[in-house]
Amino acid sequence: MTTAESTPELLAQWDRQYIWKPFTQMKEYAAGRQIIIDRGDGIYLYDIAGNRYIDGISSWWVNLHGHRHPVLGAALREQLDKVAHCALASLTHEPAIGLARELAAVLPPGLTRIFYSDNGSTAVEVALKMSFQYWRNLGRTDKRTFVSLANAYHGDTLGAVSVGGIEQYHALFKPLLFDTFRVPAPYCYRCPAGKRPETCRLECQQPLTDLLMEHADEICGIIVEPLVMAVAGMLVYPPAYLRRLRELADRYDVHLIADEVAVAFGRTGRMFACEHAGITPDLMCMAKGLTGGYLPLAVTAATDRIYEAFWGDYADGRTFFHGHSYTGNPLAAAIGRRNLEYFREAGIIAGLQPKVEYFQQQLQRFRELEHAGDVRGMGMIGAVEMVADRRCGEPYPADRRIGKLVADRCLETGAYLRPLGDVLYFIPPLCIENDQLDELFAIAFDAVRGVTEGREA
Ligand SMILES: *Cc1c(COP(=O)(O)O)cnc(C)c1O
């Protein structure tokens, strides 16, 4: 069973034999080629045969400063020599304290309390439960559900799925979920109100306004992915929409829960997406980039107003009974703290601005493609929605697997990309250089043209 005796063929065989992959039809995967990654360096991943792949999606949106980053690696090694794990209940430790302080200093003003968990889904579960219990602690037992957006994605655990709206992933589990109110998503390319960006007056928010007028008494909060609905296909919507959500939440006395799991830590060009709208949510979820792609860690940040509703004598029954074995793990927290220090000391956000401009400008090149229905982006996020007919935006039939074919071709030509349906997107490590971005876009451009126009690269 040692890897010393393992050949690439054996590893591939054992991989197929033992591992059940996430979001994967295993029959399809097993029939394909197993790409066994050996190491990473900067924006690149290398397989055991020595092939190099640009990590165009930051290893599922988590990596920020590149693989094998010396600063983050050192933070991990340092902490390893102290303690790998201890519980955060009854005890505390410097990495968790340091990271909480670093976060409080950069979060939208008013978000002061840091609750740790392990991943994006748990950060969302925590936010939902906190919001729910907040109203209970105030005696508002009528408030018992949430408003979520069509096409939303907040994770794969059942609470997170309840506020999700991706048919393909979520519909099947409906009998297991709690009911929520669902309102249309700001999908500007396929505007639910039939408007164009030039004529948009946020008409798509009318159903939400109507809903709140009638049902605010039953609603704990509105959960939303700020500015970019990522899993839905990198749907980018204007900050004015988010500002209006904040106003509506205030007017109707419901929480605004910002799920920044995908967009926090520079992805949109600012530290947090909420900054573009100048708003502070009542609760904010973070995970993916928190440790720069090193270890699982998540945070749900809350305002003092929420925190104080849980404060009291034990007998008052206001305690938040929630936690995970690895809550605030010291190794992960140490890297998270160093990650935020690095943002500050290296001036990452300021340095990002010219790169963002270049990224968004080069992305426009995809408009030349016959089957690029929409090209959209924000910050260091970009997406190309591939369609059968771009005059009317008609999608490809799902069984053509256009996205999958493009992804396969990109892997052959040196880029790791994983389209969402037929939306090819880019969310590379923030550290990507302009010439590396050129290379990534060139590979993707050729792959899309090859697949959608039946041309060879
Ligand atoms: C990825 C994601 C989650 C879930 O995070 P996991 O760490 O995969 O559980 C939640 N919300 C958003 C917006 C995400 O993109």
Side-chain angles (χ1 to χ4, degrees):
M1 295 299 265
T2 63
T3 45
E5 66 193 50
S6 61
T7 62
E9 292 70 28
L10 268 176
L11 284 172
Q13 184 198 314
W14 292 333
D15 177 72
R16 289 191 300 267
Q17 189 175 341
Y18 294 112
I19 304 182
W20 191 342
K21 300 286 165 78
F23 282 99
T24 301
Q25 171 45 256
M26 291 306 293
K27 181 180 177 189
E28 188 172 80
Y29 173 79
R33 183 169 66 92
Q34 275 68 58
I35 297 172
I36 304 168
I37 296 301
D38 179 45
R39 63 194 175 88
D41 188 14
I43 66 153
Y44 299 107
L45 291 168
Y46 296 84
D47 69 17
I48 54 174
N51 297 309
R52 192 181 81 169
Y53 307 88
I54 300 179
D55 189 353
I57 61 165
S58 297
S59 288
W60 255 0
W61 320 356
V62 298
N63 194 291
L64 298 175
H65 313 300
H67 295 279
R68 231 156 23 97
H69 195 270
V71 174
L72 300 187
L76 176 57
R77 286 186 201 97
E78 225 171 86
Q79 184 57 37
L80 262 179
D81 285 334
K82 294 183 176 168
V83 63
H85 185 61
C86 70
L88 202 60
S90 305
L91 311 173
T92 192
H93 51 79
E94 216 182 319
I97 297 166
L99 173 55
R101 285 192 70 210
E102 287 285 345
L103 270 174
V106 292
L107 280 167
L111 288 169
T112 49
R113 307 292 174 164
I114 305 299
F115 192 96
Y116 287 111
S117 63
D118 317 334
N119 60 68
S121 307
T122 56
V124 167
E125 300 287 343
V126 167
L128 297 175
K129 287 174 73 177
M130 271 181 182
S131 173
F132 183 86
Q133 190 178 338
Y134 169 91
W135 296 112
R136 295 276 142 161
N137 285 1
L138 262 55
R140 292 291 305 272
T141 48
D142 48 339
K143 288 200 179 259
R144 48 163 196 85
T145 190
F146 293 88
V147 180
S148 60
L149 267 54
N151 303 90
Y153 179 85
H154 297 291
D156 288 332
T157 53
L158 290 174
V161 171
S162 293
V163 290
I166 308 274
E167 282 297 301
Q168 191 191 5
Y169 307 159
H170 300 155
L172 172 77
F173 298 107
K174 190 129 198 351
L176 300 180
L177 309 178
F178 60 78
D179 280 331
T180 63
F181 291 109
R182 185 134 326 144
V183 294
Y187 189 167
C188 301
Y189 175 53
R190 303 180 188 280
C191 174
K195 298 285 171 171
R196 300 297 312 153
E198 310 81 69
T199 59
C200 164
R201 296 280 177 280
L202 304 180
E203 286 86 350
C204 65
Q205 275 188 341
Q206 195 54 47
L208 173 62
T209 309
D210 296 345
L211 175 73
L212 288 169
M213 261 194 291
E214 202 173 329
H215 294 285
D217 286 352
E218 301 159 51
I219 294 167
C220 301
I222 307 167
I223 182 163
V224 66
E225 297 162 81
L227 297 199
V228 184
M229 296 182 69
V231 172
M234 303 297 161
L235 311 182
V236 179
Y237 64 85
Y241 181 95
L242 197 56
R243 264 193 301 276
R244 181 84 71 84
L245 281 189
R246 180 67 275 179
E247 289 163 19
L248 288 171
D250 285 338
R251 190 181 322 151
Y252 291 99
D253 204 18
V254 301
H255 293 141
L256 180 62
I257 304 172
D259 177 356
E260 291 235 7
V261 168
V263 292
F265 308 111
R267 294 290 183 200
T268 66
R270 308 283 287 267
M271 196 63 168
F272 301 104
C274 282
E275 289 175 28
H276 293 272
I279 60 140
T280 298
D282 300 282
L283 291 157
M284 192 161 120
C285 309
M286 291 148 270
K288 290 185 171 114
L290 184 56
T291 64
Y294 269 64
L295 284 173
L297 184 69
V299 158
T300 306
T303 59
D304 277 348
R305 180 177 162 220
I306 294 200
Y307 182 77
E308 279 157 15
F310 290 76
W311 184 272
D313 292 328
Y314 187 82
D316 296 345
R318 292 163 169 260
T319 309
F320 187 52
F321 286 108
H322 185 106
H324 300 277
S325 319
Y326 282 95
T327 295
N329 172 259
L331 294 176
I335 302 172
R337 176 182 53 181
R338 189 63 57 84
N339 178 29
L340 287 176
E341 285 169 357
Y342 182 66
F343 261 99
R344 182 157 46 77
E345 287 160 8
I348 298 292
I349 297 293
L352 212 51
Q353 302 319 309
K355 218 181 276 189
V356 162
E357 210 167 295
Y358 187 77
F359 182 112
Q360 294 302 329
Q361 183 198 336
Q362 292 304 306
L363 180 70
Q364 297 308 313
R365 215 190 123 202
F366 284 87
R367 290 192 189 277
E368 292 166 25
L369 291 164
E370 240 174 86
H371 292 274
D374 189 31
V375 176
R376 53 184 173 251
M378 167 168 218
M380 296 294 282
I381 301 173
V384 181
E385 181 164 338
M386 300 176 286
V387 294
D389 184 344
R390 87 155 150 191
R391 283 162 307 177
C392 56
E394 188 193 325
Y396 281 106
D399 61 8
R400 292 226 11 221
R401 310 294 310 281
I402 294 293
K404 164 98 168 70
L405 295 173
V406 169
D408 288 347
R409 204 176 271 229
C410 288
L411 279 173
E412 294 302 323
T413 47
Y416 174 49
L417 293 167
R418 250 188 83 91
L420 294 152
D422 293 337
V423 177
L424 178 68
Y425 70 89
F426 310 95
I427 185 163
L430 304 180
C431 66
I432 193 167
E433 298 290 347
N434 288 353
D435 58 331
Q436 296 171 323
L437 197 61
D438 291 343
E439 193 187 346
L440 174 63
F441 282 169
I443 291 171
F445 189 93
D446 287 345
V448 174
R449 193 171 52 182
V451 169
T452 60
E453 298 175 28
R455 286 207 238 169
E456 283 315 306

